[in-house]
Amino acid sequence: MNLSGLRALMRDVPAYQQIIQGAGRQKTVVLEAATPFLLACLYHDLGVPLLIIAPGAERAKRLHEEISKWCHPDVPVHLFAEIDILPYERLSPDTSTLQQRLQVLSILSQWNRLPSFPPLVVASAHAVAQKTIAPGDFVSACQVVKRGMHIDLNRLIARLAEIGYEVGEIVETPGTISKRGGIVDIFSPSNDLPARIEFLGDEVESIRWFDPSTQRSVGHTDSVAIVPAREFLLPERESLEKSFGDSAITDYLPGESLVVLDDPEGIERGDWPEIRERLGRIKQLLSIERWGDEKGFGAAPGYGGQISRFLEDTKAALRDARRIVVVSQQSDRLSELLREEDIVTCPQAQLDQLPPLGSLTLVHGSLAEGWSCDGTLLLTDAELFGFVKKRRPAPKRRAEQKVFLADLSLGDYVVHIDHGIARFTGMTRIASDGTEREYLILEYAEGGRLYLPSDRVDRIARYIGSGGYLPSISRLGTQEWARTKQRAKKATAELAQELLAIYASREVSSGIGFSPDTVWQQELEASFPYVETPDQLETIRDVKKDMEMPKPMDRLVCGDVGYGKTEVALRAAFKAVMDGMQVAVLVPTTVLAQQHGITFAERLAAFPVKIEVLSRFRSPREQQDVLARLASGTVDICIGTHRLLQRDVIFKDLGLVIIDEEQKFGVAHKERLKQLRSEVDVLTLSATPIPRTLHMSLIGVRDMSTMETPPEARLPVKTYVAEYNDELIRSAVLRELDRNGQVFLVHNRVQSIAFVARRLRDLVPEAKIAVAHGQMPEEMLESVMADFVAGKVDVLVCTVIIESGLDLPNVNTLI
């Protein structure tokens, strides 16, 4: 999506012209909308380094994403993330945060010496206020290694350790190094890939980039820049002692830089004293305020899904020679509607030039908000439909191999396809026919050793055992491994016969064969407020394909919490209802049934679909009413616990059963589910399938889809181990409450759990605290859990009962 052509509009705005002309040191501009657009225009027109300070971390992330869409495609927009740890935590920031910050410091410290775009950085006020290494110490710690240089290898390793690098066996994360003979692997935070430096004596013979997931080379380079791996170097020298933690990102800005304060009132409410001191030497400072008398960019009209009104207004605006640009993730749907109304759109798919007045341009993409200015109207999904699909960036996928060198640690057990079980004991380089190659060292029983070339790593797999027992290592040069494989094949064949007999009836039975998607199905899927992940789209396609086939579906969908399994189930349920069939959604707990009931009701509110929840939260009279309407067919989707499997539950036309976390149901329930699988389509959702279920899917008896793309902005788990400390507990709880989150405090002793809760109430009187454990009366336990899910409780003091499979997106801290 390239919207660069619209930047010409900004040059006609008087307030913008004053900024460009540099009238005064301190300047203010008032914008009701279009802040990212203004900032991108300023960057391109001024051509100087630009630092944008937002009042909070979320606002900084949104600006970072939106500014990127308005800038030239080749311009990198950097986010200077804030460190989200407290002083007592004695932890390093997560790897991605540290890499982001060090990359920005590296770019700012040397941009004028490199042929690159001026730096464009977005940061929260807190990130700007946080201290970091002084620019002079950062630059002096940097080092460039070039091919042909003479370097003392041991001195290089020692120097890298001084500037924060950790020595390990294998390099796969920024800030790590490893040494194997004359080879040094190093992952500098300023680079996207680690480098492998090969020495011949003390001379740098070659430098190669390599993929950290496979450890394989991906290209050569003549030099590699190495920057510090930490923001705070150990103060071993006097020069470092003087500047240890005394600097901030503003000290890295060149003199001609422009600093922009987005919402200065919001910034003043937070870290303003620290920031005001830092900004004292900045020559160019711009404040963007939300309200004022200046005329410029205003908010676009909102339609909230009333597309017919949008179409009528569009016709009128085109007659008045207004310029309209629509940026939408639902461009195909809008294109059809516009054609039906004989509204012509500009043929260009990319806005690389300013469209003419009296035209409408439709662009497939996503922006956070639209705006109106001087005859031009920009509309987004936010104005048209009331929401904008939130992007979930897909992670880089690893190459498909049986094992990755980065996954192996010394002493790990591996299985060679021809020679059996061995222990991985390291890597070595062996010269043969004038060339050196890397080999894995595999140790077998009775002193046997196998050297496996690194390019034959596909011959081995990590050993995965059960029961916690250590495997018996194979012997080289014997038939032992061949006999083991033969026994395994026989056992597999016997299991396959058993499973095939169980599922034979499903394969030969006649299924429903649902119809292709309806227009309403497309409407529902377009209203999903997120951009679907690749895994999600593939899974949805697989489920629909199964449902349309003339045999009962039995598909397992595996994915962690928050990866989109519920949306897959909801779309499958709606597809079944569109063919006049009923759907049963089976969940393990009453509280989860209530959650799913709310989710389904919200997503399907615009359609004539009747949804009911059958659980003990409903009175006997209400339950009987639901049962009667199920039997008559007036309930389309029924969500419930094992209550749905009782004999008095009769569906008129049951077509699809959705099972959430099947492993949590008992043996008797599973017998009923087994019967259902030969009659109707079954979709099973699980974050942790039991081994038998997973095995049946892996061997093809059941179909399986995996969803591995994490939700947007999911951060790595930070684990802190410490002795009990009241201040530590209070600080952790208060920090979570400050960001409107919730807390689990796990105490797995029922006898003393009430005492722990009382002590916590004394420590954090600001928090609403409740207790939950398995020995409570069931009705009381469900009531407590329902309050926690509804946000009426801040901290739940509980046992490991929290493993009950609830969807709790606000719980970010576990103590």
Side-chain angles (χ1 to χ4, degrees):
M1 183 178 68
N2 180 9
L3 303 173
S4 57
L6 289 179
R7 290 202 300 266
L9 290 172
M10 186 64 79
R11 300 186 181 100
D12 295 330
V13 178
Y16 181 77
Q17 293 175 353
Q18 293 178 8
I19 299 172
I20 295 298
Q21 293 167 2
R25 178 178 178 272
Q26 302 277 343
K27 296 179 284 293
T28 299
V29 64
V30 178
L31 286 180
E32 187 180 354
T35 297
F37 181 38
L38 167 76
L39 295 173
C41 292
L42 280 175
Y43 173 79
H44 283 277
D45 289 343
L46 293 176
V48 299
L50 179 60
L51 172 63
I52 301 156
I53 305 177
E58 290 303 315
R59 174 63 177 172
K61 291 176 183 177
R62 287 196 297 270
L63 279 176
H64 171 259
E65 182 179 352
E66 292 298 305
I67 292 171
S68 301
K69 299 170 184 176
W70 288 106
C71 286
H72 188 280
D74 294 335
V75 171
V77 183
H78 304 281
L79 178 66
F80 190 67
E82 61 184 54
I83 301 175
D84 187 25
I85 58 175
L86 298 177
Y88 63 78
E89 290 180 316
R90 298 197 302 274
L91 293 170
S92 297
D94 64 84
T95 303
S96 60
T97 297
L98 182 62
Q99 185 175 19
Q100 280 182 328
R101 290 173 65 89
L102 290 172
Q103 280 184 341
V104 171
L105 298 182
S106 175
I107 290 167
L108 288 173
S109 64
Q110 59 181 337
W111 81 271
N112 53 1
R113 298 192 298 271
L114 299 174
S116 60
F117 292 96
L120 173 51
V121 181
V122 184
S124 68
H126 189 53
V128 173
Q130 286 175 331
K131 297 176 181 179
T132 187
I133 182 175
D137 291 321
F138 184 90
V139 172
S140 64
C142 292
Q143 184 167 347
V144 177
V145 176
K146 298 181 179 180
R147 192 160 58 90
M149 288 179 64
H150 290 268
I151 302 175
D152 185 298
L153 187 53
N154 293 328
R155 185 173 296 177
L156 174 64
I157 298 296
R159 175 58 177 155
L160 294 177
E162 279 184 11
I163 62 175
Y165 285 84
E166 295 183 4
V167 180
E169 293 292 333
I170 295 177
V171 168
E172 53 182 344
T173 58
T176 56
I177 54 174
S178 71
K179 177 179 177 293
R180 300 186 305 277
I183 297 178
V184 175
D185 289 351
I186 179 168
F187 200 156
S188 173
S190 61
N191 300 322
D192 294 327
L193 291 174
R196 180 161 293 153
I197 307 171
E198 295 190 61
F199 285 82
L200 184 60
D202 65 349
E203 182 182 353
V204 177
E205 185 178 30
S206 69
I207 306 175
R208 292 173 289 162
W209 302 115
F210 67 92
D211 185 337
S213 64
T214 64
Q215 299 291 298
R216 292 183 175 178
S217 300
V218 295
H220 288 78
T221 181
D222 289 331
S223 65
V224 58
I226 302 171
V227 304
R230 284 199 300 255
E231 289 189 64
F232 302 107
L233 304 182
L234 296 177
E236 298 175 351
R237 302 192 306 273
E238 183 180 355
S239 62
L240 286 181
E241 288 179 354
K242 293 179 180 178
S243 60
F244 182 69
D246 286 341
S247 298
I249 184 177
T250 50
D251 297 312
Y252 284 74
L253 296 176
E256 68 272 27
S257 301
L258 171 66
V259 175
V260 177
L261 302 180
D262 175 58
D263 185 12
E265 289 186 5
I267 295 173
E268 289 182 14
R269 290 193 294 266
D271 301 89
W272 181 244
E274 295 88 347
I275 293 177
R276 180 171 54 189
E277 181 181 348
R278 301 290 182 190
L279 298 180
R281 69 178 190 83
I282 300 299
K283 298 178 181 178
Q284 298 291 328
L285 187 65
L286 172 68
S287 296
I288 298 179
E289 297 181 352
R290 296 288 178 267
W291 308 102
D293 298 327
E294 296 181 37
K295 294 184 178 180
F297 286 78
Y303 295 98
Q306 300 178 24
I307 302 302
S308 58
R309 185 162 65 90
F310 156 70
L311 294 172
E312 291 301 318
D313 287 355
T314 297
K315 294 177 183 177
L318 293 176
R319 287 194 297 267
D320 292 340
R322 297 194 68 188
R323 179 190 295 113
I324 302 175
V325 178
V326 178
V327 180
S328 173
Q329 287 284 348
Q330 304 183 40
S331 57
D332 291 341
R333 174 188 176 195
L334 290 174
S335 180
E336 292 180 6
L337 295 173
L338 291 168
R339 281 198 301 269
E340 290 174 1
E341 296 294 324
D342 295 325
I343 298 175
V344 179
T345 60
C346 284
Q348 61 191 60
Q350 300 285 325
L351 284 178
D352 53 0
Q353 57 184 354
L354 186 61
L357 292 171
S359 68
L360 185 148
T361 305
L362 183 61
V363 180
H364 183 79
S366 175
L367 288 175
E369 64 176 6
W371 41 257
S372 175
C373 180
D374 292 341
T376 298
L377 178 64
L378 177 75
L379 294 172
T380 71
D381 287 334
E383 292 78 35
L384 294 176
F385 305 108
F387 67 92
V388 177
K389 289 199 174 196
K390 299 177 182 178
R391 289 194 167 275
R392 288 170 167 164
K396 296 179 180 178
R397 296 191 179 266
R398 291 181 170 184
E400 294 184 0
Q401 288 178 258
K402 289 189 175 181
V403 71
F404 302 94
L405 299 186
D407 294 333
L408 291 178
S409 299
L410 293 180
D412 283 352
Y413 291 93
V414 297
V415 182
H416 192 288
I417 191 172
D418 298 319
H419 303 293
I421 301 174
R423 288 178 68 248
F424 170 67
T425 59
M427 305 280 296
T428 188
R429 293 184 69 86
I430 300 176
S432 176
D433 298 329
T435 60
E436 270 194 336
R437 297 174 69 186
E438 281 188 318
Y439 290 82
L440 287 74
I441 306 173
L442 307 181
E443 286 194 354
Y444 286 83
E446 299 180 358
R449 179 173 285 188
L450 177 70
Y451 293 92
L452 179 71
S454 59
D455 58 1
R456 300 296 305 278
V457 71
D458 60 319
R459 304 297 292 172
I460 64 173
R462 180 189 289 275
Y463 171 81
I464 302 175
S466 60
Y469 298 103
L470 295 178
S472 176
I473 296 179
S474 305
R475 288 185 298 166
L476 288 175
T478 68
Q479 292 299 311
E480 176 186 333
W481 180 242
R483 289 193 295 268
T484 300
K485 288 197 295 183
Q486 188 61 37
R487 289 194 300 269
K489 288 180 181 178
K490 183 179 179 181
T492 301
E494 292 173 354
L495 178 60
Q497 280 296 122
E498 176 189 351
L499 296 177
L500 285 172
I502 294 174
Y503 281 83
S505 59
R506 179 176 74 91
E507 292 297 323
V508 299
S509 300
S510 296
I512 297 171
F514 290 97
S515 304
D517 286 356
T518 63
V519 175
W520 277 5
Q521 182 85 28
Q522 297 171 8
E523 295 269 353
L524 169 71
E525 298 184 3
S527 68
F528 183 48
Y530 297 92
V531 176
E532 295 86 346
T533 67
D535 294 340
Q536 213 173 10
L537 290 173
E538 184 177 357
T539 299
I540 291 167
R541 284 193 295 267
D542 291 342
V543 170
K544 289 180 179 180
K545 183 179 178 182
D546 286 355
M547 292 180 68
E548 293 173 8
M549 292 180 66
K551 70 173 184 178
M553 172 180 70
D554 189 8
R555 179 168 290 274
L556 169 67
V557 175
C558 295
D560 205 349
V561 176
Y563 279 43
K565 300 189 300 293
T566 301
E567 179 66 19
V568 173
L570 188 144
R571 296 186 186 187
F574 191 75
K575 185 177 181 68
V577 171
M578 289 298 96
D579 258 13
M581 305 301 292
Q582 292 173 297
V583 179
V585 182
L586 190 63
V587 298
T589 66
T590 303
V591 177
L592 190 55
Q594 297 296 114
Q595 280 189 290
H596 278 329
I598 294 171
T599 300
F600 273 63
E602 289 177 349
R603 289 281 287 114
L604 301 179
F607 304 94
V609 178
K610 187 60 180 176
I611 303 165
E612 287 290 355
V613 176
L614 188 61
S615 70
R616 286 183 299 99
F617 278 177
R618 310 295 297 271
S619 68
R621 191 171 190 175
E622 289 174 328
Q623 290 188 37
Q624 289 301 317
D625 177 63
V626 172
L627 294 178
R629 290 188 289 126
L630 277 176
S632 65
T634 55
V635 172
D636 299 306
I637 300 174
C638 189
I639 303 167
T641 59
H642 58 275
R643 177 71 177 85
L644 278 176
L645 299 176
Q646 296 179 4
R647 293 185 177 181
D648 62 339
V649 180
I650 300 173
F651 290 82
K652 181 181 180 182
D653 291 303
L654 182 62
L656 174 65
V657 175
I658 299 171
I659 309 169
D660 198 351
E661 301 295 349
E662 182 180 8
Q663 72 274 11
K664 297 184 182 294
F665 293 94
V667 175
H669 302 143
K670 290 176 182 176
E671 288 301 315
R672 173 61 177 147
L673 295 176
K674 186 187 299 182
Q675 176 188 350
L676 286 174
R677 284 194 167 89
S678 64
E679 300 171 356
V680 299
D681 284 11
V682 176
L683 178 64
T684 304
L685 315 175
S686 182
T688 55
I690 58 177
R692 182 178 178 87
T693 300
L694 183 60
H695 184 260
M696 288 159 59
S697 299
L698 292 174
I699 65 175
V701 175
R702 297 179 66 178
D703 298 312
M704 181 175 73
S705 298
T706 57
M707 300 172 65
E708 300 175 327
T709 307
E712 181 185 20
R714 170 165 290 192
L715 299 175
V717 176
K718 298 177 182 177
T719 303
Y720 177 58
V721 180
E723 294 181 2
Y724 182 90
N725 180 286
D726 285 344
E727 186 58 35
L728 175 69
I729 298 293
R730 174 174 169 79
S731 298
V733 172
L734 288 180
R735 181 174 63 173
E736 190 58 58
L737 299 188
D738 286 342
R739 57 183 180 186
N740 298 318
Q742 294 172 289
V743 178
F744 279 134
L745 193 152
V746 178
H747 178 78
N748 210 28
R749 292 183 182 176
V750 175
Q751 293 80 4
S752 54
I753 197 170
F755 169 76
V756 172
R758 285 196 301 271
R759 186 168 183 175
L760 184 63
R761 290 189 181 99
D762 292 338
L763 279 176
V764 196
E766 304 95 325
K768 291 171 286 186
I769 298 169
V771 176
H773 58 79
Q775 295 181 21
M776 295 172 64
E778 197 165 0
E779 292 80 4
M780 182 184 297
L781 175 61
E782 289 177 344
S783 177
V784 170
M785 296 303 293
D787 287 345
F788 190 60
V789 169
K792 298 177 182 179
V793 172
D794 298 319
V795 184
L796 188 67
V797 181
C798 56
T799 60
V800 292
I801 195 172
I802 60 173
E803 298 176 338
S804 59
L806 294 179
D807 183 10
L808 299 167
N810 288 330
V811 182
N812 302 300
T813 298
L814 171 66
I815 303 173

